[in-house]
Amino acid sequence: MVQRKVKIYDAATVILLFRYFAFNSAILSLPNVVDKFLLFLGLAGYVWIIINQEIRKKSFVVCVLLSSVAVYTSIQIKSWFILSTLLCIIATKSVHIKVFITLSKRILSLLLLLQALLSVVLYIVGSSNYLYVILMGEVRFMFGMTHPNVLAAILVNIILVDVINIYNGASIKKNIYFVIKTLFAYVLTKSSGLLVILAMAVVLVKLAKIKVPFIKKAIYNAAKYGPIVLMAGVFFTAKEYWKLGIDYLSYINNFVIRLKEGAYLLAHEGLTIWGNNVISGVILWTADWRLNYVNVDNLYVMFMVTIGIGWFCIIEFGIIQILKEKENILVPIFIIIWAAYGMTEVHAVNIFLFFPMIFFGMLFDNNKSEREEYYG
């Protein structure tokens, strides 16, 4: 029975990894009926696992309630990544967190490699240019993804797994290899967010290796309160955008542009608790906003106007519960990375594009000894 669960889990995870990869691919654009069929197969696999796993009554009730809200949010926003992420997290209780992390890295690496080769071939034969784009005078590679930033998000997800090995005492050779991969990914995508997040991950891991109680406490506090501080900062900055007098920066700073777009959406859409279908795209230019296009490109803005502030509260509650155990310093490190990454990428909330979300599975997984064995 256990082996059967693992096989179904692997199959469901591979299907959904492929589905979300294809959804963000300019080459592997799936017909709507195929996309929905793959989504159904993957979610059905997770549901079967959850139904057939041992779970406490209290946890089962919580799972049902969360899943019901996730279905409602998914219908509201017309996207199913919230439900997919939630069911994956709960289903992981039947296997192990490391199974998802390893599988995610291998499948995304394989898909990206195959698509990159295909994009090069198509470029050489002159069929289509899915290889790169020129943005603001810079050549940025996308290797068949819809945008260089999407490629950067997938590369972050793949390379970030190596942080676990670095913490567990990887050799100098592997540390150098990590730096080379990071710099190469940056040269290809020109994504400053990629460089900052991976550099932050290494710095935090190196600090955590220093056996000083103050550092450990600081990391745990940053993980616990960091998301709240960032959410409050984004909310008040967006809400008081014009009063802060930073409008002129939007011409030279992409991050501030994200806040400006967030301010526009907050003003026109308002806060949502459990989900709202906000459509990004071309808007009517006005002298007040001076925007021709708006896009939800910040996770905290996304919580406020799209997937719902209620989900942020649930995630923050989950973070507090996870950190109570204080069994491993890697957990708060990845939470900090998740919170920081959300400032520039909405993919941080999709487990199939950003694996640190899997650590929320610790809320349903009581196998502490196995986690310690894998994460140090």
Side-chain angles (χ1 to χ4, degrees), residues 301-344:
V301 172
M302 192 178 192
F303 277 122
M304 287 188 283
V305 302
T306 305
I307 58 180
I309 202 73
W311 282 106
F312 175 79
C313 295
I314 290 173
I315 289 175
E316 179 59 30
F317 177 79
I319 289 173
I320 293 172
Q321 295 304 309
I322 291 171
L323 295 180
K324 281 183 178 180
E325 292 188 29
K326 294 187 178 181
E327 63 181 61
N328 189 290
I329 195 67
L330 264 182
V331 176
I333 285 175
F334 275 111
I335 290 174
I336 293 171
I337 294 169
W338 172 83
Y341 195 50
M343 293 298 290
T344 59

Side-chain angles (χ1 to χ4, degrees), residues 225-239 300 304 312:
Y225 303 113
I228 299 175
V229 172
L230 291 176
M231 172 60 83
V234 170
F235 173 74
F236 287 109
T237 300
K239 187 172 176 58
Y300 300 95
M304 287 188 283
F312 175 79

Side-chain angles (χ1 to χ4, degrees), residues 114-130:
L114 294 176
Q115 182 172 271
L117 292 174
L118 181 57
S119 67
V120 171
V121 171
L122 291 175
Y123 179 76
I124 292 174
V125 300
S127 175
S128 300
N129 181 15
Y130 295 110

Side-chain angles (χ1 to χ4, degrees), residues 190-234:
K190 302 294 191 302
S191 171
S192 56
L194 175 149
L195 194 60
V196 169
I197 289 302
L198 292 176
M200 179 188 294
V202 173
V203 170
L204 287 171
V205 164
K206 295 301 182 182
L207 286 174
K209 298 290 284 186
I210 303 174
K211 304 300 181 181
V212 178
F214 169 76
I215 294 177
K216 182 177 181 180
K217 184 177 180 180
I219 291 175
Y220 270 89
N221 285 335
K224 183 183 293 185
Y225 303 113
I228 299 175
V229 172
L230 291 176
M231 172 60 83
V234 170

Side-chain angles (χ1 to χ4, degrees), residues 165-215:
N165 296 326
I166 292 175
Y167 176 77
N168 288 330
S171 64
I172 296 177
K173 182 180 178 180
K174 288 185 177 181
N175 277 264
I176 295 174
Y177 185 43
F178 177 89
V179 174
I180 292 173
K181 285 192 295 184
T182 299
L183 293 177
F184 184 62
Y186 172 72
V187 169
L188 289 175
T189 63
K190 302 294 191 302
S191 171
S192 56
L194 175 149
L195 194 60
V196 169
I197 289 302
L198 292 176
M200 179 188 294
V202 173
V203 170
L204 287 171
V205 164
K206 295 301 182 182
L207 286 174
K209 298 290 284 186
I210 303 174
K211 304 300 181 181
V212 178
F214 169 76
I215 294 177

